[in-house]
Amino acid sequence: MADALSDLPAFPPGFRWGAATAAFQTEGSTDADGRGPSIWDTYSHTPGRILDGATADVAADSYRRYRDDVALLADLGVTEYRFSISWTRVQPTGAGPANAPGLDHYERVVEALLAAGIAPLPTLFHWDLPQPLEDGGGWLARDTAACFADYVALVLERLGDRVPRWITLNEPAMTTIQGYALGTQAPGRALMMGALPTAHHQLLAHGLAVAAIRAAGDADVGITNNHTLVVPATDAPADRFAASAFDVVYNRIFADPVLTGAYPDLSGFGLDAFPGLQSGDLETISAPLDFYGVNFYNPTRVAAASAGSEFAAAGLPFEPVDFDGVRVTGFGWPIVPSAFADVLVGLQDDYGDRLPPIMVTENGASFPDEVVSGGVHDVERIAYLDAHLRALRHAIEFGVDVRGYFVWSLIDNFEWAEGYTQRFGLVHVDFETGARTRKDSFAWYRELIARDRAAH
Ligand code: IFM
């Protein structure tokens, strides 16, 4: 293992090394200490929605085992831990005064991390919208953005003096596309282009949250967007047009307003203004950030929508298609590490001086890991991480200002609509017993971090 790492050049001094998780995917204890229901409780309890019929009622049991997770992080040697705060632990209905026991939990987590010398990096919204807010329109309703800012202020009031950096939203694109356009994730609405206001209201929520965080102190703040490299299926004009339209919907609708204060041109979709946009919103949304969070997993190959497809039926010009002859993860996602460097360099090219330093807030892969004789020999995950870190290193050499990297995920967890069928962790979790087993990738990442920190 040492030899395999020896030719990986050191990262810049002060580079932050981390691992990430999210509340709904790991915590369990869904009715503990006054927590209210979120859209993911509803969705996961709806028959037919989750591939293996599982719920996250127990998940990795991290609400009760958070000390075990902090001990794993300390052993791993990370400088930072990205986790998320569950809105319905803080406000069980999504509005009103704080639920003290919910905040007590996150205070214990923050204290345990700080005691271990690990900086907490909480995400304030990782998809688990309070169900009562969804009943009032969810992210289709402009008011949800103001509710989010109220919740953020409550969290900051309790934890703002000890948390150095905050992430407002995780991957708003997935909430809009999968949650409201396609219906393949909570809340399961299939509105296609009718989902667009949810993008704007999430971004408005982000901007209002930035203001609340700035008002509470001097912590750093950023947003996490997922980015994909969009590759046209062929050079044919229809495929190239489809790829550029997909790029708008997946990447640019969520990055441009934050980084440039304007939405991309949507005239190709028959729109001359973004649905829901009001005067002054873009100023709020584009408030300067301290870092820009990037999640990267894979590139996407896109063709013109084929006749009769659900995309064509919805009036969309594109349709994702498979890559030919490319290795895939357990999820079936194509493994193309160079696409990671291309995304990072592309962000710098596209946004220039308006792009704050990047933090890679998620990168990783699922594989069907099994415990064999007390160990998990996840060579494919090590190969994936190694190749993506080399690509990241190339992007840094190319001049992209990347300040940190977080593996998704610290531990195996509830992978949304896939239930427990996809394992992303550096640590295997037995979902019957909660037992944690370090995978070989854990030892590999630990060695990488130790070497890099020793190099400076
Ligand atoms: O598990 C998710 C995470 O919640 C958000 N980003 C992608 C991961 C893998 O699908």
Side-chain angles (χ1 to χ4, degrees):
M1 187 183 312
D3 288 339
L5 283 173
S6 59
D7 65 333
L8 184 61
F11 283 72
F15 194 80
R16 300 193 197 109
W17 294 104
T21 61
F24 191 76
Q25 294 178 270
T26 55
E27 287 180 349
S29 300
T30 48
D31 54 8
D33 297 332
R35 179 186 179 278
S38 76
I39 55 173
W40 270 99
D41 294 280
T42 307
Y43 193 81
S44 56
H45 280 267
T46 304
R49 289 300 203 178
I50 307 299
L51 186 62
D52 55 0
T55 72
D57 293 357
V58 178
D61 202 15
S62 289
Y63 189 76
R64 297 188 312 150
R65 293 172 184 259
Y66 72 89
R67 285 186 200 82
D68 297 352
D69 294 344
V70 174
L72 286 167
L73 290 159
D75 183 20
L76 191 54
V78 293
T79 58
E80 217 145 326
Y81 178 44
R82 176 176 177 229
F83 59 100
S84 81
I85 293 182
S86 151
W87 187 342
T88 62
R89 291 198 193 280
V90 177
Q91 285 180 308
T93 63
N99 171 48
L103 281 171
D104 291 347
H105 170 73
Y106 294 111
E107 184 160 50
R108 287 191 290 270
V109 172
V110 165
E111 290 294 347
L113 289 167
L114 293 174
I118 299 165
L121 177 59
T123 305
L124 288 153
F125 180 72
H126 197 124
W127 301 357
D128 40 2
L129 187 74
Q131 183 62 47
L133 293 186
E134 179 58 31
D135 297 340
W139 287 114
L140 290 164
R142 187 177 171 90
D143 278 358
T144 299
C147 293
F148 182 66
D150 291 345
Y151 146 72
V152 169
L154 293 175
V155 176
L156 266 284
E157 202 176 306
R158 176 70 84 90
L159 299 175
D161 57 339
R162 279 155 291 174
V163 170
R165 274 175 286 282
W166 298 90
I167 294 172
T168 54
L169 308 181
N170 179 71
E171 300 183 359
M174 291 301 96
T175 294
T176 295
I177 296 171
Q178 296 194 324
Y180 288 89
L182 302 174
T184 49
Q185 298 218 352
R189 310 283 306 273
L191 305 173
M192 298 308 271
M193 290 301 277
L196 279 180
T198 69
H200 183 63
H201 296 146
Q202 287 185 87
L203 293 174
L204 183 60
H206 155 77
L208 295 173
V210 171
I213 293 166
R214 299 284 186 226
D218 59 3
D220 284 356
V221 58
I223 188 172
T224 281
N225 275 324
N226 49 331
H227 281 274
T228 189
L229 183 77
V230 186
V231 182
T234 71
D235 260 346
D239 286 343
R240 294 176 67 82
F241 173 76
S244 113
F246 187 87
D247 184 44
V248 165
V249 168
Y250 195 100
N251 294 312
R252 292 185 182 274
I253 281 178
F254 300 90
D256 283 14
V258 170
L259 297 173
T260 72
Y263 278 108
D265 178 15
L266 292 178
S267 55
F269 295 93
L271 295 169
D272 49 17
F274 204 88
L277 177 63
Q278 294 187 11
S279 155
D281 288 355
L282 287 165
E283 287 72 21
T284 305
I285 291 169
S286 61
L289 298 177
D290 302 295
F291 63 92
Y292 183 70
V294 173
N295 291 355
F296 177 83
Y297 288 90
N298 55 267
T300 308
R301 186 164 177 244
V302 172
S306 51
S309 69
E310 59 173 327
F311 294 91
L316 295 172
F318 50 69
E319 180 178 344
V321 292
D322 288 343
F323 282 87
D324 296 325
V326 171
R327 279 188 308 127
V328 295
T329 68
F331 226 137
W333 294 351
I335 303 174
V336 187
S338 61
F340 186 22
D342 290 343
V343 159
L344 295 169
V345 172
L347 285 168
Q348 179 180 264
D349 288 349
D350 290 348
Y351 299 109
D353 290 348
R354 307 192 70 157
L355 180 68
I358 288 175
M359 295 268 273
V360 175
T361 42
E362 284 181 31
N363 177 237
S366 65
F367 290 104
D369 307 313
E370 281 175 24
V371 180
V372 178
S373 310
V376 180
H377 307 304
D378 55 338
V379 288
E380 292 175 297
R381 178 169 298 100
I382 293 173
Y384 177 99
L385 295 174
D386 181 89
H388 283 76
L389 278 165
R390 286 171 199 273
L392 169 57
R393 195 67 190 75
H394 283 311
I396 292 174
E397 274 160 32
F398 210 78
V400 186
D401 186 0
V402 183
R403 303 279 176 93
Y405 174 87
F406 290 69
V407 172
W408 183 270
S409 172
L410 175 67
I411 52 177
D412 291 340
N413 56 54
F414 180 79
E415 179 50 34
W416 307 112
E418 308 297 313
Y420 297 106
T421 65
Q422 300 297 327
R423 293 180 177 272
F424 278 87
L426 298 173
V427 176
H428 181 277
V429 175
D430 178 330
F431 294 109
E432 296 297 315
T433 64
R436 277 112 164 101
T437 304
R438 290 163 178 77
K439 302 180 189 176
D440 288 355
S441 57
F442 182 99
W444 175 88
Y445 192 47
R446 176 172 55 192
E447 166 133 7
L448 183 146
I449 296 170
R451 273 178 175 245
D452 193 63
R453 294 182 76 183
H456 301 293

